[in-house]
Amino acid sequence: EATADQLLARVTEQLIGEGWVTRGAVGNLPRGRKPVILHLNSNRTGIIGIDLRPVMTTVVLARLDASFLAQTTIVTEGTAAQFVAQLCSRVQELMKSHPGVCFEGIGVSVPGRVDSRSHELVFAPNLPWRDLDVKRPLEQASGLPVQLENAANACAMAEIWYGRHADVRDLVAVTVSEGIGVGMVFNGQLVQGWNGMAGEFGHVTLVQDG
């Protein structure tokens, strides 16, 4: 019967053989066998990120450490059906051009409110569409799970996960571009509210040309 160490060694060798883990430098110990440092092969697993913006939409293939393997853009134009079809086609092209990558899923950042029940973009003041369904067409085209998130919320989570605030539990991110958005993280949890609009603010035009 194999010991726990033997089972671990077998699993490790299998992961190395399949390309999930790579061998690194040899460590130094005062006595005993010198350990070999193992690393997760970040080039083996990829996540597709889509930043849907009013003028230009960016599609990237990212490693697990959030560094990019590939990046492309498409113009945000046409009818909702035309744009979604073009977006699905671009995602398929990206996946075909990286056959050695195991794709885990797709994340879509959108400049507006996402309905948590329908998973649709229900309102974006700087986009010409309402009730835009991106999730289901992308899932059908790619075979991957798709998650939509408000752009400011995604920005706040990115700062917690990959930014300079790894030890911060409470954070408010304010995004200023074509519009203004707010993402809030309290006690390490994203705050969305019952309708997904928690923390959002904007402005009212008092003088039309002012």
Side-chain angles (χ1 to χ4, degrees):
E1 184 175 352
T3 65
D5 289 341
Q6 290 172 330
L7 289 174
L8 180 59
R10 290 176 188 175
V11 171
T12 301
E13 288 300 322
Q14 181 178 349
L15 292 174
I16 292 174
E18 294 177 357
W20 294 101
V21 173
T22 59
R23 291 186 176 91
V26 177
N28 289 317
L29 289 178
R31 62 180 66 85
R33 184 179 178 181
K34 293 183 178 181
V36 176
I37 299 174
L38 302 176
H39 303 276
L40 180 66
N41 186 1
S42 59
N43 292 323
R44 185 70 170 81
T45 304
I47 298 172
I48 295 176
I50 300 173
D51 183 19
L52 202 166
R53 301 286 292 275
V55 177
M56 194 74 66
T57 294
T58 303
V59 182
V60 303
L61 171 57
R63 302 179 180 91
L64 293 180
D65 61 1
S67 60
F68 291 174
L69 281 168
Q71 178 174 333
T72 184
T73 58
I74 60 175
V75 179
T76 309
E77 63 180 5
T79 66
Q82 290 171 338
F83 172 76
V84 171
Q86 186 180 8
L87 183 61
C88 290
S89 177
R90 190 62 62 88
V91 168
Q92 290 175 328
E93 292 173 2
L94 186 64
M95 295 178 68
K96 290 178 181 178
S97 63
H98 294 82
V101 174
C102 180
F103 294 91
E104 292 295 324
I106 300 175
V108 185
S109 168
V110 294
R113 177 191 166 195
V114 176
D115 189 301
S116 59
R117 293 166 295 181
S118 67
H119 303 285
E120 293 181 353
L121 174 63
V122 295
F123 175 69
N126 294 309
L127 290 177
W129 317 301
R130 295 183 68 94
D131 300 324
L132 179 66
D133 185 4
V134 180
K135 176 181 172 67
R136 276 168 279 273
L138 279 175
E139 287 181 336
Q140 293 174 359
S142 65
L144 300 173
V146 175
Q147 181 69 43
L148 266 69
E149 186 54 82
N150 170 268
N153 289 345
C155 179
M157 295 306 299
E159 282 295 329
I160 293 290
W161 291 340
Y162 300 109
R164 300 178 181 179
H165 308 290
D167 58 340
V168 173
R169 302 285 293 172
D170 304 304
L171 179 144
V172 175
V174 180
T175 59
V176 181
S177 53
E178 294 89 356
I180 299 175
V182 177
M184 302 188 301
V185 176
F186 294 150
N187 195 29
Q189 299 294 318
L190 180 65
V191 179
Q192 295 175 300
W194 71 272
N195 62 354
M197 295 287 285
E200 290 293 344
F201 70 90
H203 70 279
V204 175
T205 302
L206 299 179
V207 179
Q208 188 62 36
D209 299 320

